[in-house]
Coordinates of all heavy atoms in Angstrom, one line a residue:
C24 N 0.9 -1.2 0.0 CA 0.0 0.0 0.0 C 0.9 1.2 0.0 O 0.6 2.2 -0.7 CB -1.0 0.0 1.2 SG -1.8 1.5 1.5
G25 N 2.0 1.2 0.8 CA 2.8 2.4 0.8 C 2.4 3.6 1.8 O 3.1 4.3 2.1
L26 N 1.2 3.4 2.3 CA 0.8 4.5 3.3 C 1.3 4.0 4.7 O 0.9 2.9 5.2 CB -0.7 4.6 3.3 CG -1.3 5.5 4.4 CD1 -0.8 6.9 4.1 CD2 -2.8 5.6 4.3
R27 N 2.0 4.9 5.3 CA 2.7 4.6 6.6 C 2.7 5.7 7.6 O 2.8 6.8 7.0 CB 4.2 4.2 6.5 CG 4.5 3.0 5.5 CD 4.1 1.7 6.0 NE 4.5 0.6 5.1 CZ 3.7 0.0 4.3 NH1 2.3 0.2 4.4 NH2 4.0 -0.9 3.5
A28 N 2.3 5.5 8.8 CA 2.4 6.6 9.8 C 3.3 6.1 11.0 O 3.2 5.0 11.3 CB 1.0 6.8 10.4
L29 N 4.1 6.9 11.4 CA 5.2 6.5 12.3 C 5.2 7.5 13.5 O 5.0 8.7 13.2 CB 6.6 6.3 11.7 CG 6.7 5.5 10.6 CD1 8.0 5.7 9.8 CD2 6.7 3.9 11.0
N30 N 5.5 7.1 14.7 CA 5.7 8.0 15.7 C 7.2 8.5 15.6 O 7.9 8.0 14.8 CB 5.4 7.5 17.1 CG 6.2 6.3 17.5 OD1 7.4 6.1 17.0 ND2 5.8 5.6 18.5
A31 N 7.6 9.5 16.5 CA 8.9 10.0 16.4 C 10.1 8.9 16.6 O 11.0 8.9 15.8 CB 9.2 11.0 17.5
H32 N 9.8 8.0 17.4 CA 10.8 6.9 17.8 C 10.9 6.0 16.5 O 12.0 5.6 16.1 CB 10.4 6.1 18.9 CG 11.3 4.7 19.1 ND1 12.5 4.8 19.5 CD2 10.8 3.5 18.9 CE1 13.0 3.6 19.6 NE2 12.0 2.8 19.1
G33 N 9.8 5.5 15.9 CA 9.8 4.8 14.7 C 10.5 5.5 13.5 O 11.3 4.8 12.9
A34 N 10.1 6.7 13.4 CA 10.7 7.5 12.2 C 12.3 7.5 12.5 O 13.0 7.5 11.4 CB 10.2 8.9 12.3
R35 N 12.8 7.8 13.6 CA 14.3 7.9 13.9 C 14.9 6.4 13.7 O 16.1 6.3 13.4 CB 14.5 8.3 15.2 CG 14.3 9.8 15.4 CD 14.9 10.3 16.7 NE 14.2 9.7 17.9 CZ 13.2 10.2 18.6 NH1 12.6 11.3 18.0 NH2 12.6 9.6 19.4
S36 N 14.2 5.3 13.9 CA 14.8 4.0 13.9 C 14.9 3.5 12.5 O 15.8 2.7 12.3 CB 13.8 3.0 14.6 OG 13.6 3.4 16.0
I37 N 14.1 4.0 11.6 CA 14.1 3.4 10.2 C 15.1 4.1 9.3 O 15.2 5.4 9.3 CB 12.7 3.6 9.5 CG1 11.8 2.5 10.4 CG2 12.7 3.2 8.0 CD1 10.3 2.6 9.9
R38 N 15.9 3.3 8.6 CA 16.9 3.8 7.7 C 16.5 3.4 6.4 O 16.6 2.2 6.0 CB 18.3 3.3 8.2 CG 19.4 3.8 7.3 CD 20.8 3.5 7.8 NE 21.9 3.9 6.8 CZ 22.4 3.1 5.9 NH1 22.3 1.7 6.1 NH2 23.4 3.6 5.2
M39 N 16.3 4.3 5.4 CA 15.9 4.0 4.1 C 17.1 4.0 3.2 O 17.9 5.0 3.3 CB 14.9 5.1 3.6 CG 13.6 5.2 4.4 SD 12.5 3.8 4.2 CE 12.1 4.0 2.4
T40 N 17.4 3.0 2.5 CA 18.5 2.9 1.6 C 18.2 2.9 0.2 O 19.0 2.8 -0.8 CB 19.3 1.8 2.0 OG1 18.6 0.5 1.8 CG2 19.8 1.8 3.4
I41 N 16.9 2.5 -0.2 CA 16.4 2.4 -1.6 C 15.3 3.3 -2.0 O 14.7 3.9 -1.1 CB 16.1 0.9 -1.8 CG1 15.0 0.4 -0.8 CG2 17.3 -0.1 -1.9 CD1 14.4 -1.0 -1.1
D42 N 15.1 3.3 -3.2 CA 14.0 4.3 -3.6 C 13.1 3.6 -4.6 O 13.0 2.3 -4.6 CB 14.6 5.5 -4.4 CG 15.4 5.1 -5.7 OD1 15.5 3.9 -5.9 OD2 15.9 6.1 -6.2
R43 N 12.2 4.2 -5.1 CA 11.1 3.7 -6.1 C 10.1 2.9 -5.3 O 10.1 3.2 -4.0 CB 11.8 3.1 -7.2 CG 12.8 3.9 -8.1 CD 13.2 3.4 -9.3 NE 12.2 3.1 -10.3 CZ 11.7 4.0 -11.1 NH1 12.2 5.2 -11.1 NH2 10.9 3.6 -12.1
Y44 N 9.6 2.0 -5.9 CA 8.4 1.3 -5.2 C 8.8 0.3 -4.1 O 8.0 0.0 -3.4 CB 7.6 0.6 -6.3 CG 6.8 1.6 -7.2 CD1 7.2 1.7 -8.5 CD2 5.6 2.1 -6.7 CE1 6.5 2.6 -9.3 CE2 4.9 2.9 -7.6 CZ 5.4 3.3 -8.8 OH 4.8 4.1 -9.5
T45 N 10.0 0.0 -4.1 CA 10.4 -1.1 -3.1 C 10.6 -0.5 -1.8 O 10.9 -1.1 -0.7 CB 11.7 -1.8 -3.5 OG1 12.7 -0.8 -3.8 CG2 11.6 -2.6 -4.6
H46 N 10.4 0.9 -1.6 CA 10.4 1.5 -0.3 C 9.4 0.9 0.7 O 9.6 0.8 1.8 CB 10.3 2.9 -0.4 CG 8.9 3.4 -0.6 ND1 8.3 3.4 -1.9 CD2 8.0 3.8 0.2 CE1 7.0 3.8 -1.8 NE2 6.8 4.0 -0.6
A47 N 8.2 0.5 0.1 CA 7.2 0.0 0.9 C 7.6 -1.3 1.6 O 7.3 -1.3 2.9 CB 5.9 -0.3 0.1
S48 N 8.3 -2.2 1.1 CA 8.9 -3.4 1.8 C 10.0 -2.9 2.5 O 10.1 -3.6 3.7 CB 9.2 -4.4 0.6 OG 8.2 -4.9 0.0
E49 N 10.9 -2.1 2.2 CA 11.9 -1.7 3.1 C 11.4 -1.2 4.3 O 12.0 -1.6 5.5 CB 12.9 -0.7 2.4 CG 14.1 -0.4 3.2 CD 15.0 0.5 2.6 OE1 14.5 1.4 1.7 OE2 16.3 0.4 2.8
I50 N 10.5 -0.4 4.5 CA 9.9 0.2 5.7 C 9.5 -1.1 6.5 O 9.7 -1.0 7.8 CB 8.8 1.1 5.4 CG1 9.4 2.4 4.8 CG2 8.1 1.5 6.6 CD1 8.4 3.4 4.2
L51 N 8.8 -2.0 6.0 CA 8.3 -3.1 6.8 C 9.4 -3.9 7.3 O 9.3 -4.3 8.4 CB 7.2 -4.0 5.9 CG 6.1 -3.2 5.5 CD1 5.1 -4.0 4.5 CD2 5.2 -2.6 6.8
D52 N 10.4 -4.1 6.5 CA 11.7 -4.9 7.0 C 12.3 -4.2 8.2 O 12.7 -4.7 9.1 CB 12.6 -5.0 5.8 CG 12.1 -6.0 4.7 OD1 11.2 -6.8 4.9 OD2 12.8 -5.9 3.6
E53 N 12.4 -2.8 8.0 CA 13.0 -2.0 9.1 C 12.1 -2.0 10.4 O 12.7 -2.2 11.5 CB 13.2 -0.6 8.7 CG 14.3 -0.4 7.7 CD 15.6 -0.5 8.4 OE1 16.0 0.3 9.3 OE2 16.4 -1.5 8.2
I54 N 10.8 -2.1 10.2 CA 9.9 -2.2 11.3 C 10.1 -3.5 12.2 O 10.2 -3.6 13.3 CB 8.5 -2.1 10.9 CG1 8.1 -0.7 10.6 CG2 7.5 -2.5 12.0 CD1 6.8 -0.3 9.8
A55 N 10.2 -4.6 11.4 CA 10.5 -5.9 11.9 C 11.8 -5.9 12.5 O 11.9 -6.5 13.7 CB 10.4 -7.1 10.7
R56 N 12.9 -5.4 11.9 CA 14.2 -5.5 12.4 C 14.4 -4.8 13.8 O 15.0 -5.2 14.7 CB 15.2 -4.9 11.4 CG 16.7 -5.0 11.7 CD 17.6 -4.6 10.6 NE 17.6 -3.2 10.4 CZ 18.5 -2.4 11.0 NH1 19.3 -2.8 11.8 NH2 18.4 -1.1 10.6
H57 N 13.7 -3.6 14.0 CA 13.7 -2.8 15.2 C 12.6 -3.2 16.1 O 12.5 -2.6 17.2 CB 13.6 -1.3 14.8 CG 14.8 -0.8 14.0 ND1 16.0 -0.7 14.7 CD2 14.9 -0.5 12.8 CE1 16.8 -0.2 13.8 NE2 16.3 -0.1 12.7
R58 N 11.8 -4.3 15.7 CA 10.7 -4.8 16.6 C 9.8 -3.5 17.0 O 9.5 -3.6 18.2 CB 11.2 -5.5 17.8 CG 12.0 -6.7 17.4 CD 12.5 -7.5 18.5 NE 13.1 -8.7 17.9 CZ 14.0 -9.3 18.5 NH1 14.4 -9.1 19.8 NH2 14.5 -10.5 18.0
L59 N 9.4 -2.8 16.0 CA 8.4 -1.7 16.4 C 7.0 -2.3 16.4 O 6.6 -3.2 15.6 CB 8.6 -0.6 15.3 CG 10.0 0.0 15.2 CD1 10.1 0.9 14.0 CD2 10.3 0.7 16.5
R60 N 6.3 -1.6 17.1 CA 4.8 -2.2 17.1 C 4.1 -1.6 15.9 O 4.3 -0.6 15.3 CB 4.1 -1.5 18.4 CG 4.5 -2.3 19.7 CD 3.8 -1.7 20.9 NE 4.0 -0.3 21.1 CZ 3.4 0.6 21.7 NH1 2.2 0.2 22.1 NH2 3.6 1.8 21.8
V61 N 3.1 -2.4 15.4 CA 2.4 -2.0 14.2 C 0.8 -2.2 14.5 O 0.4 -3.1 15.2 CB 2.7 -3.0 13.2 CG1 1.9 -2.8 11.8 CG2 4.4 -2.9 12.6
R62 N 0.2 -1.3 13.9 CA -1.2 -1.5 13.9 C -1.9 -1.0 12.5 O -1.5 0.0 12.0 CB -1.9 -0.5 14.9 CG -3.5 -0.7 15.0 CD -4.1 0.2 16.0 NE -3.7 1.7 16.0 CZ -4.5 2.5 16.0 NH1 -5.8 2.2 16.1 NH2 -4.2 3.8 15.9
E63 N -2.6 -2.1 11.9 CA -3.1 -1.7 10.7 C -4.4 -1.0 10.7 O -5.2 -1.4 11.6 CB -3.3 -3.0 9.8 CG -1.9 -3.6 9.3 CD -2.2 -4.8 8.3 OE1 -2.6 -5.8 8.7 OE2 -2.0 -4.4 7.2
V64 N -4.6 -0.1 9.9 CA -5.9 0.7 9.8 C -6.3 0.7 8.3 O -5.6 1.0 7.5 CB -5.7 2.2 10.2 CG1 -6.9 3.0 10.1 CG2 -5.1 2.2 11.7
P65 N -7.6 0.3 8.1 CA -8.0 0.1 6.7 C -8.1 1.5 6.0 O -8.4 2.5 6.6 CB -9.4 -0.4 6.8 CG -9.6 -0.8 8.2 CD -8.6 -0.2 9.0
V66 N -7.7 1.5 4.7 CA -7.7 2.7 3.9 C -8.4 2.3 2.6 O -8.3 1.0 2.2 CB -6.4 3.3 3.6 CG1 -5.6 3.8 5.0 CG2 -5.3 2.4 2.9
T67 N -8.8 3.3 1.9 CA -9.5 3.0 0.6 C -8.5 3.4 -0.4 O -8.0 4.6 -0.5 CB -10.7 3.9 0.4 OG1 -11.7 3.4 1.4 CG2 -11.4 3.6 -1.0
V68 N -8.2 2.6 -1.4 CA -7.2 2.8 -2.4 C -7.9 3.1 -3.8 O -8.7 2.1 -4.1 CB -6.1 1.8 -2.5 CG1 -5.1 2.1 -3.7 CG2 -5.4 1.7 -1.2
I69 N -7.8 4.0 -4.5 CA -8.4 4.3 -5.8 C -7.3 4.0 -6.8 O -6.4 4.8 -6.9 CB -9.2 5.7 -5.9 CG1 -10.1 5.6 -4.8 CG2 -9.7 5.7 -7.3 CD1 -10.7 7.1 -4.6
Y70 N -7.5 3.0 -7.7 CA -6.4 2.8 -8.7 C -7.0 3.4 -10.0 O -8.2 3.3 -10.3 CB -6.1 1.3 -8.9 CG -5.5 0.7 -7.7 CD1 -6.3 -0.1 -6.7 CD2 -4.2 0.8 -7.5 CE1 -5.7 -0.6 -5.6 CE2 -3.6 0.3 -6.5 CZ -4.2 -0.5 -5.5 OH -3.7 -1.0 -4.5
H71 N -6.1 4.1 -10.7 CA -6.4 4.7 -12.0 C -6.1 3.8 -13.1 O -5.2 3.0 -13.0 CB -5.8 6.0 -12.1 CG -6.0 7.1 -11.0 ND1 -7.3 7.8 -11.0 CD2 -5.6 7.4 -9.8 CE1 -7.4 8.5 -9.9 NE2 -6.4 8.3 -9.2

């Protein structure tokens, strides 16, 4: 999905090293690596 919301601790913990569309997976990998808490919230996605 690519939509992410982080608190200040989470934002400081995550290190982005890649760009383009793979950033969505990299963020989730970093969340797992740092054992950050996650809560999913449903969103509506409109594809064109």
Side-chain angles (χ1 to χ4, degrees):
C24 171
L26 178 63
R27 307 283 183 256
L29 304 166
N30 64 16
H32 171 71
R35 284 190 301 270
S36 300
I37 292 177
R38 182 171 176 252
M39 301 292 293
T40 61
I41 56 179
D42 60 0
R43 306 191 57 88
Y44 290 104
T45 53
H46 75 279
S48 293
E49 183 178 31
I50 291 171
L51 297 178
D52 292 345
E53 286 286 294
I54 286 170
R56 186 167 75 87
H57 293 289
R58 297 184 175 156
L59 300 174
R60 288 184 294 158
V61 173
R62 181 173 58 127
E63 287 194 284
V64 177
V66 297
T67 301
V68 179
I69 300 171
Y70 293 100
H71 300 280

